[in-house]
Amino acid sequence: MSGGIDIRDELPGDRPTVDGFYREAFPEEDLSPLLAGLRAIPDGVVSLVAETDGAPVAHMMLTESGISESRRRCALLGPLAVAPAWQKRGIGGALVEAGLKIAKERHYDRVLVFGDPAYYGRFGFTAEDMVLPPYPLQAEWRHAWQSASLGAIDREARGTLTLPTPWLREALWSH
């Protein structure tokens, strides 16, 4: 890589390339309806692209969310994909860090993620047991539900994560 990694907002022209990252990285999942649905939301979704030498190589979204029975503000990190040829170079981590920074700037109390604890643990994510995902998780995937607190831990923020419609497909939560 001759240039550095630049992180910027996704542009409409990036979409075919970005969608290809997800098909390559997750061939067993069709995330195109989720991506399209989140892109159609006018506010509350951040869509970031990591590029090097002017070409997109990774993508991540951050969706504003709520917690039933709480006024706490939070966000769901995901989906995240790095083009296979660019994996293991810190690009996904740079996107996660950028997402956490944006979440802090927007005064969210925590960021939640459904992903590999070995990966996300590096960024301060730990097992989440106070906020439930919108669908029950299979026992073998329960450990993948995590959160990172962006301020004082609020032990009273309990409930179920509330999300916009594109996330309300049970298949997205049943790896």
Side-chain angles (χ1 to χ4, degrees), residues 7-45:
I7 296 177
R8 60 169 174 77
D9 289 334
E10 180 187 35
L11 302 172
D14 297 326
R15 292 176 180 173
T17 301
V18 164
D19 290 356
F21 300 156
Y22 289 95
R23 284 191 300 275
E24 292 173 17
F26 305 104
E28 70 286 352
E29 293 182 71
D30 180 10
L31 294 174
S32 56
L34 174 64
L35 295 167
L38 291 174
R39 287 173 178 142
I41 296 173
D43 295 310
V45 176

Side-chain angles (χ1 to χ4, degrees), residues 3-86:
I5 299 168
D6 293 313
I7 296 177
R8 60 169 174 77
D9 289 334
E10 180 187 35
L11 302 172
D14 297 326
R15 292 176 180 173
T17 301
V18 164
D19 290 356
F21 300 156
Y22 289 95
R23 284 191 300 275
E24 292 173 17
F26 305 104
E28 70 286 352
E29 293 182 71
D30 180 10
L31 294 174
S32 56
L34 174 64
L35 295 167
L38 291 174
R39 287 173 178 142
I41 296 173
D43 295 310
V45 176
V46 175
S47 184
L48 299 176
V49 166
E51 67 178 11
T52 184
D53 295 330
V57 296
H59 176 261
M60 182 205 68
M61 290 180 139
L62 189 71
T63 305
E64 184 174 324
S65 310
I67 302 170
S68 68
E69 305 170 35
S70 175
R71 291 179 174 228
R72 295 296 182 190
R73 299 182 70 225
C74 60
L76 180 66
L77 189 150
L80 166 67
V82 179
W86 291 92

